[in-house]
Amino acid sequence: MKLKKKYKSIFFAILGLTILLTSCNKDDVKEVTAADEVVGLQKIDTLIKGNYTFYIYKKDTGNLVVGYNEVYIQLKNNVTGKYVEDATLSWKPLMHMTSMSHACPYSTINKVADTKTLYKGYFIFIMASSDMEYWEVTYDYTSGKDTLAEVTNRPTVVQSTGKIRYKSFKGVDNTSYFLALVNPTSPKVGTNDITAYLYKKVDMLTFSPAQNYTVEIDPRMPDMDNHTSPSNVNLTYDSTTGLYKGKLNLTMTGYWKINLIVRDASNTIQKGDSITSTTTASSIYFELEF
Amino acid sequence: MIKTALCTGCCFGLNFLAIAQNKADSIKSRELKEVVVTGKTGLDSINESKPLSSIDEHLQKLSNVNLIKRGGYAWEPTINNMATERISVTIDGMKIFCACTDRMDPVTSYVEILNLDNIHVGSGLAGNLHSTNSIGGGLDLKLQKAGFHAQKLNVTLNSAYETNGNYRIIGSGLAYSSLKFYTNAGIFYRKSDDYKAGDNSTVNFSQFEKLNMFTNFGYRLSAQKSIEGTVIYDVASNVGYPALTMDVKSAKGLITSLSYRQENISEVFFNWETKLYFNNIIHVMDDTKRPNVAMHMDMPGKSRTGGYYSTLNGRLGKHNFVISHDSYYNQSSAEMTMYPKDAANKPMFMYTWPDIRTFNTGLTLDDRYIIDLKNTLQLTTKTSFQRDGVESTFGYNTLQMYYPDMTQYQNRGLWSVSGKYTHYLQDIQLKAGVGYGTRAPSPTEAYGFYLYNSFDNYEYIGDPQLKNESSVEGNIAFALTKPTYSISLDGSYFYFSNYIIGKPNTSLSTMTIGASGVKVYQNLNHATIFNANLNTKYIFLKYFHWLNHLGYSQGQDNKNNPLPLIAPFSYSTSLDYVNKKFSAGVDLQGATKQVNYSAEYGEDLTPAYFIVNTSVGYDFIFGHVAPTVKIGIENVLDRKYSTYADWNNIPRKGRNVYINLKINL
Ligand SMILES: [Cu+2]
Ligand SMILES: [Cu+2]
């Protein structure tokens, strides 16, 4: 009787374990490797310095462009062969021109959410590079006060041949502004989230986000008698992300001109024109075609 | 309001057609039949001055029916001054929906006159048992059926020529009947070049070409049971629409059905028919032949409908009743691709009908209660459930920009009820009816997107959140029938609530270059339509028939402004000589100037006009071949004119000499 009970409990214990193991196996998630995390990205540079290698990526092929560029970084410890998962990274772009040098708007570098090894930031380049005049980006890996690695590269920055997604202008306050479209990258018919960055120049080396401005949008189709869509929402400043966010409605596929008016925090128009029957386009606009 | 209109209605009467008077005895046939007999095998060709004219030309002769013309082909029928969205057009009870967003292809354009036995025209809410979402009335195109009779084969050859437009018609029909099996088959071809208006000026882009193939068959399973089937394939190609900015490259319709019939089921139920049907329409427009096209566009459309109905006819005491259940599912989809002048820019694409789906299922109950020899009461009711929406996510995203809180699909309940009382007093017949009915918004009214209307030069956007339109109808008719003369008057009055019509929304931006603005369909608080007809007939000197018709209509919106496309006062008078095999006739048709035109909807004052037509006909007999020849001249005076129903005032045909030839083999 007792023995029987014992066997019985052993039997159930084994059964239970089997179930547990089987279910464990089933739920087994394939470990995400560093290589998996850059699938779909294009490597644009490999920078080796001492024990570390910086891998620089971007989403699409081709060169960096004047305007908004999202840049991804992986950092490898050449000694351990492992990717650094908790790095503090920073960078600094500088353009060396024949007579002077200047920077451009750029972000800090942050970890990409839900990844272990991937970091991300952006540059808004304001000029194209040439043989004589070039951009130099310095990448830093620090731990506390110690610089563990510092590398530079000289990326080629070209004027975008595609549709206009970036505009620099001088406001009525005589300040230089830099407006770059982030989204949509693949617009659709219907309501799109539209986001952009707006920076102003403080001095040659300092560019700061223009806060609490409004970017008014008026999407038009020049091929369709300047047809526009209803219920667009102007872009307003989101202090947590630094992005300007709005809603863009597109009624059909094709070429759209997103006419812009930039108003400062006191609602003064710094740049841009309203569309009327005689003014068919603003002095500043983005373009989308899909 | 209604009351006064009913009183005015007393002064006018119901349309009267020749066939009704022949069998004046039984109660059944004493009812005024709103039926036209058309190109049947046993066609009464003596009475048809132009038997091979199109269905549209035949419909034009009916007093409640008018046709909106956008060219030489595929006219859009209206009943009681209501067009496609307010009437029902069925083929043998089958639901078919147009595939063109610009109304180039009314259902009537997918059949041929030789396919038809007759056209049932029902006026108002009680118009057609098979109708759904209709208020103004229903047209049911009844197909030819040779039927189960003693064995007989009948072959006809038909041909016609018309000078205006070099219009050629050729066709052949076959009817075979036996006790066990019957079949009808036909092939018909029409082709016309541009027609000429009255001043001899060519109306460009009025050409068309149409090929129609038709077959019908029946097989008797037993004495009471039979199956029947139909296949129609109709292709119109290179059809010009001079009133529009585009033409049609091809419009193809495939119409099929299979039905099961059972007769004499019991004492009470004498007939039960269940029909399954499917039809597919593909419509491709074309602007490549037009000069100075601002922007080339591709605009294909399609409409597919599958459905069934099951109808039981019975008689219980003095009640003649019909119980019918029907369901259908329709897919209507149309798109537009625009090619910019700057070829570097990508083509622009959108849905004009964003894959609209409509499911409708309903139950119809109809009872004709013969109270006694002098009094009949008919009650009809239909209740249906409809679910409609846009299947295309692309289209749904599009409409959501305009209606952020719309849902992709929505349910609607629809209901109608009507009653008609008929009183017979020797030679006099009196009818009075009342009804209430609702209709769901049409696909265009609910989901249409930037549909350009060349009439008022506005672009139209639907509203998925429209309420159902409803109408209260009152009608009254009086007819006096004597052996040598008859007179009839009829009137109907519709009081609409939530009347659906487009109104400008100045906040929306146009798309078409040069368009005046954008209109959005809305529910107007109310609107009214009133129609009245007077018909007389006089037979003298044995062979002479003199017919007269007067028609009057009025339509007003909630601000008492005229509704668009309402007929002005119109008249016709005809004198026919019919003596056995020989017939001849002359008629005059006209209308007064359209005073109550709607400038808001692009109408202008249409001047008064009249035209004169003549015809002669003769039935020859050569052995067992019996050719019938009809010759006539239309618009003898070669008047240049257009009517209120001519889209953008395109002129109608000038003088036209025709010859119709029919040979029975
Ligand atoms: Cu520079
Ligand atoms: Cu069309």
Side-chain angles (χ1 to χ4, degrees):
Chain A
M1 188 74 163
K2 224 179 185 178
L3 201 70
K4 211 174 179 183
K5 207 174 185 179
K6 198 176 175 182
Y7 279 131
K8 212 173 181 179
S9 50
I10 288 169
F11 172 74
F12 278 109
I14 290 168
L15 188 73
L17 201 66
T18 321
I19 291 168
L20 203 72
L21 286 172
T22 335
S23 54
C24 258
N25 279 335
K26 265 184 192 161
D27 289 350
D28 196 17
V29 186
K30 194 173 169 274
E31 205 180 321
V32 178
T33 64
D36 292 335
E37 294 188 338
V38 292
V39 167
L41 298 178
Q42 312 293 325
K43 193 186 285 177
I44 53 171
D45 219 339
T46 304
L47 308 167
I48 305 168
K49 184 68 183 268
N51 293 338
Y52 295 97
T53 307
F54 290 77
Y55 297 100
I56 319 294
Y57 296 90
K58 64 198 272 286
K59 270 191 176 153
D60 48 358
T61 53
N63 290 307
L64 295 168
V65 294
V66 174
Y68 179 78
N69 297 269
E70 222 161 58
V71 175
Y72 294 83
I73 301 171
Q74 267 183 337
L75 178 67
K76 193 161 99 178
N77 184 323
N78 298 329
V79 180
T80 63
K82 286 189 172 151
Y83 286 84
V84 184
E85 297 182 3
D86 56 353
T88 306
L89 297 173
S90 65
W91 56 14
K92 208 168 257 166
L94 194 67
M95 186 176 205
H96 297 276
M97 301 186 67
T98 44
S99 56
M100 47 85 118
S101 57
H102 63 84
C104 68
Y106 64 98
S107 71
T108 55
I109 302 175
N110 294 299
K111 194 76 171 279
V112 177
D114 301 321
T115 67
K116 285 181 175 168
T117 64
L118 201 59
Y119 303 83
K120 177 179 130 174
Y122 65 83
F123 301 110
I124 299 169
F125 291 116
I126 59 174
M127 277 181 88
S129 55
S130 66
D131 294 344
M132 306 291 290
E133 302 176 318
Y134 59 90
W135 284 96
E136 189 168 62
V137 182
T138 308
Y139 300 84
D140 266 303
Y141 170 33
T142 56
S143 173
K145 284 175 189 160
D146 305 325
T147 299
L148 300 180
E150 186 183 282
V151 290
T152 59
N153 70 343
R154 290 180 182 181
T156 306
V157 176
V158 299
Q159 206 70 47
S160 168
T161 52
K163 299 297 165 199
I164 295 168
R165 296 176 69 91
Y166 163 77
K167 213 84 193 187
S168 65
F169 57 89
K170 197 147 257 175
V172 293
D173 59 1
N174 218 23
T175 303
S176 291
Y177 289 92
F178 308 90
L179 181 60
L181 181 65
V182 178
N183 274 313
T185 49
S186 344
K188 63 174 173 76
V189 168
T191 304
N192 295 268
D193 287 319
I194 179 170
T195 53
Y197 284 112
L198 177 63
Y199 278 83
K200 56 183 177 187
K201 185 164 97 179
V202 180
D203 58 44
M204 286 306 227
L205 298 177
T206 322
F207 295 78
S208 69
Q211 297 181 3
N212 302 317
Y213 281 45
T214 308
V215 182
E216 294 178 4
I217 49 171
D218 189 353
R220 296 280 175 166
M221 295 196 94
D223 290 321
M224 296 296 275
D225 209 13
N226 242 11
H227 164 72
T228 186
S229 59
S231 315
N232 293 288
V233 179
N234 293 329
L235 284 74
T236 52
Y237 187 65
D238 176 43
S239 56
T240 47
T241 56
L243 269 173
Y244 279 83
K245 294 181 174 173
K247 298 279 183 199
L248 172 70
N249 285 327
L250 303 173
T251 54
M252 67 182 100
T253 69
Y255 171 74
W256 287 86
K257 195 177 255 188
I258 319 297
N259 294 286
L260 305 166
I261 294 174
V262 173
R263 288 178 188 269
D264 64 19
S266 59
N267 215 27
T268 307
I269 293 178
Q270 289 298 335
K271 185 79 177 176
D273 315 278
S274 297
I275 307 304
T276 62
S277 52
T278 47
T279 310
T280 54
S282 171
S283 52
I284 47 171
Y285 56 84
F286 294 138
E287 293 175 313
L288 292 173
E289 189 175 42
F290 63 113
Chain B
M1 190 92 183
I2 299 171
K3 237 177 188 173
T4 43
L6 283 175
C7 286
T8 13
C10 293
C11 317
F12 299 88
L14 188 81
N15 95 55
F16 193 85
L17 288 147
I19 47 158
Q21 65 158 28
N22 295 333
K23 329 156 218 175
D25 293 324
S26 72
I27 285 182
K28 201 181 167 198
S29 62
R30 265 172 71 179
E31 189 184 16
L32 288 176
K33 279 194 181 170
E34 290 147 296
V35 167
V36 217
V37 174
T38 56
K40 201 182 173 180
T41 347
L43 166 79
D44 186 5
S45 43
I46 290 285
N47 288 335
E48 283 281 341
S49 60
K50 193 182 173 191
L52 295 180
S53 58
S54 67
I55 289 173
D56 303 337
E57 287 172 275
H58 277 84
L59 285 171
Q60 195 159 240
K61 293 175 188 158
L62 296 165
S63 60
N64 283 327
V65 178
N66 275 302
L67 290 126
I68 301 168
K69 297 188 187 179
R70 296 174 175 85
Y73 178 76
W75 304 338
E76 182 188 1
T78 70
I79 306 174
N80 290 324
N81 289 291
M82 289 177 237
T84 307
E85 64 280 357
R86 288 186 177 85
I87 64 170
S88 140
V89 183
T90 52
I91 298 177
D92 256 358
M94 295 183 270
K95 301 242 164 40
I96 299 185
F97 300 93
C98 319
C100 179
T101 50
D102 296 344
R103 301 181 178 222
M104 291 170 164
D105 70 330
V107 172
T108 41
S109 69
Y110 291 103
V111 285
E112 245 317 327
I113 200 74
L114 217 66
N115 302 162
L116 299 183
D117 183 61
N118 65 61
I119 302 173
H120 178 94
V121 184
S123 171
L125 288 162
N128 178 352
L129 292 183
H130 292 296
S131 68
T132 303
N133 284 324
S134 90
I135 284 176
L139 289 179
D140 192 25
L141 311 173
K142 303 270 192 200
L143 298 173
Q144 270 200 45
K145 277 181 195 173
F148 302 110
H149 304 295
Q151 198 168 338
K152 192 185 172 195
L153 176 67
N154 188 341
V155 178
T156 59
L157 294 175
N158 303 272
S159 184
Y161 181 76
E162 301 190 15
T163 54
N164 195 339
N166 186 26
Y167 186 3
R168 291 140 282 171
I169 302 169
I170 188 157
S172 176
L174 173 153
Y176 171 79
S177 57
S178 70
L179 293 173
K180 193 82 180 157
F181 176 76
Y182 76 80
T183 186
N184 292 83
I187 182 162
F188 217 87
Y189 178 74
R190 291 172 188 266
K191 186 178 166 81
S192 173
D193 304 336
D194 291 339
Y195 71 79
K196 282 187 171 153
D199 58 357
N200 214 29
S201 63
T202 302
V203 178
N204 290 325
F205 306 105
S206 60
Q207 82 290 347
F208 64 87
E209 188 175 348
K210 174 188 169 89
L211 175 68
N212 178 283
M213 286 174 277
F214 158 74
T215 183
N216 222 344
F217 65 87
Y219 181 75
R220 194 175 244 172
L221 301 167
S222 70
Q224 277 94 36
K225 295 172 186 171
S226 59
I227 52 168
E228 292 178 330
T230 300
V231 182
I232 300 173
Y233 184 63
D234 189 279
V235 191
S237 46
N238 187 24
V239 182
Y241 290 82
L244 304 178
T245 53
M246 284 200 143
D247 305 309
V248 161
K249 192 174 179 185
S250 76
K252 293 178 191 164
L254 175 69
I255 297 160
T256 60
S257 76
L258 195 62
S259 59
Y260 172 75
R261 290 175 84 93
Q262 208 174 334
E263 320 282 338
N264 306 321
I265 301 159
S266 71
E267 284 277 290
V268 178
F269 302 110
F270 56 84
N271 178 299
W272 180 39
E273 183 191 13
T274 302
K275 178 179 281 181
L276 277 167
Y277 60 88
F278 172 77
N279 54 71
N280 189 17
I281 294 176
I282 294 170
H283 181 83
V284 181
M285 289 191 257
D286 178 20
D287 63 5
T288 55
K289 294 187 176 120
R290 297 296 181 107
N292 314 317
V293 174
M295 183 182 297
H296 166 60
M297 301 180 195
D298 281 340
M299 292 178 72
K302 65 176 177 185
S303 167
R304 288 196 269 187
T305 311
Y308 98 103
Y309 68 78
S310 189
T311 304
L312 188 63
N313 287 284
R315 192 182 295 124
L316 190 66
K318 291 176 169 177
H319 294 271
N320 282 285
F321 62 85
V322 182
I323 304 169
S324 184
H325 183 255
D326 78 296
S327 299
Y328 68 87
Y329 185 78
N330 170 260
Q331 174 190 21
S332 292
S333 190
E335 55 187 58
M336 178 148 94
T337 307
M338 294 153 282
Y339 299 90
K341 273 265 152 89
D342 183 352
N345 289 347
K346 283 189 182 172
M348 297 169 274
F349 176 87
M350 58 185 233
Y351 277 105
T352 46
W353 273 351
D355 198 357
I356 302 161
R357 308 293 177 98
T358 306
F359 169 74
N360 187 299
T361 181
L363 182 70
T364 307
L365 301 172
D366 175 68
D367 179 32
R368 204 156 63 87
Y369 174 43
I370 301 163
I371 303 165
D372 54 39
L373 278 171
K374 291 186 170 173
N375 298 291
T376 305
L377 182 66
Q378 185 166 11
L379 290 171
T380 311
T381 173
K382 175 154 193 175
T383 311
S384 62
F385 165 79
Q386 179 165 314
R387 182 169 172 79
D388 53 60
V390 285
E391 182 62 20
S392 152
T393 312
F394 185 109
Y396 181 44
N397 288 339
T398 308
L399 286 168
Q400 272 186 315
M401 292 186 283
Y402 296 79
Y403 307 100
D405 52 348
M406 75 175 274
T407 52
Q408 197 163 356
Y409 279 88
Q410 51 207 314
N411 299 331
R412 292 175 181 273
L414 300 159
W415 188 61
S416 76
V417 61
S418 62
K420 187 169 265 186
Y421 170 74
T422 312
H423 181 70
Y424 304 92
L425 192 76
Q426 291 171 338
D427 305 325
I428 293 170
Q429 185 185 32
L430 278 169
K431 276 188 179 188
V434 287
Y436 170 82
T438 57
R439 73 168 181 102
S442 70
T444 292
E445 290 166 338
Y447 307 108
F449 189 63
Y450 274 96
L451 296 172
Y452 175 65
N453 180 328
S454 60
F455 204 54
D456 61 6
N457 198 33
Y458 273 81
E459 294 173 302
Y460 279 71
I461 298 180
D463 179 355
Q465 294 160 329
L466 282 176
K467 288 183 216 140
N468 291 337
E469 179 180 288
S470 66
S471 174
V472 173
E473 180 199 351
N475 58 68
I476 198 152
F478 162 86
L480 171 68
T481 312
K482 295 276 186 191
T484 55
Y485 69 94
S486 62
I487 180 164
S488 74
L489 288 149
D490 75 80
S492 61
Y493 181 80
F494 295 85
Y495 183 90
F496 293 89
S497 299
N498 294 318
Y499 185 83
I500 299 171
I501 198 166
K503 287 282 173 186
N505 181 331
T506 49
S507 74
L508 297 179
S509 150
T510 58
M511 218 175 249
T512 302
I513 295 158
S516 305
V518 178
K519 283 183 183 174
V520 179
Y521 285 101
Q522 290 183 3
N523 289 112
L524 283 195
N525 182 275
H526 70 267
T528 57
I529 291 179
F530 168 67
N531 305 288
N533 294 291
L534 167 67
N535 287 283
T536 64
K537 180 171 182 167
Y538 179 51
I539 301 169
F540 61 98
L541 297 174
K542 197 173 169 190
Y543 303 118
F544 289 93
H545 296 239
W546 182 35
L547 273 77
N548 290 292
H549 169 249
L550 298 176
Y552 176 77
S553 304
Q554 200 182 354
Q556 288 187 332
D557 70 5
N558 57 334
K559 289 172 182 152
N560 296 330
N561 294 318
L563 292 175
L565 291 166
I566 302 289
F569 185 78
S570 64
Y571 57 89
S572 70
T573 182
S574 67
L575 184 65
D576 290 288
Y577 174 82
V578 183
N579 184 0
K580 290 175 189 147
K581 301 193 179 310
F582 178 76
S583 64
V586 55
D587 71 84
L588 183 142
Q589 295 170 14
T592 61
K593 71 178 176 186
Q594 189 192 13
V595 186
N596 296 316
Y597 62 91
S598 171
E600 188 184 348
Y601 293 93
E603 290 187 314
D604 50 13
L605 195 148
T606 308
Y609 75 90
F610 71 88
I611 56 161
V612 176
N613 305 309
T614 63
S615 68
V616 290
Y618 194 78
D619 282 9
F620 296 91
I621 291 190
F622 301 119
H624 59 281
V625 186
T628 304
V629 179
K630 300 280 179 182
I631 296 168
I633 307 171
E634 292 168 323
N635 195 357
V636 176
L637 304 174
D638 202 25
R639 296 267 177 158
K640 185 180 188 181
Y641 72 108
S642 66
T643 77
Y644 83 100
D646 294 308
W647 205 255
N648 283 329
N649 298 328
I650 48 150
R652 296 206 169 186
K653 263 190 185 175
R655 187 181 297 126
N656 180 33
V657 181
Y658 64 81
I659 176 163
N660 279 206
L661 176 69
K662 178 177 174 169
I663 302 169
N664 273 309
L665 294 177

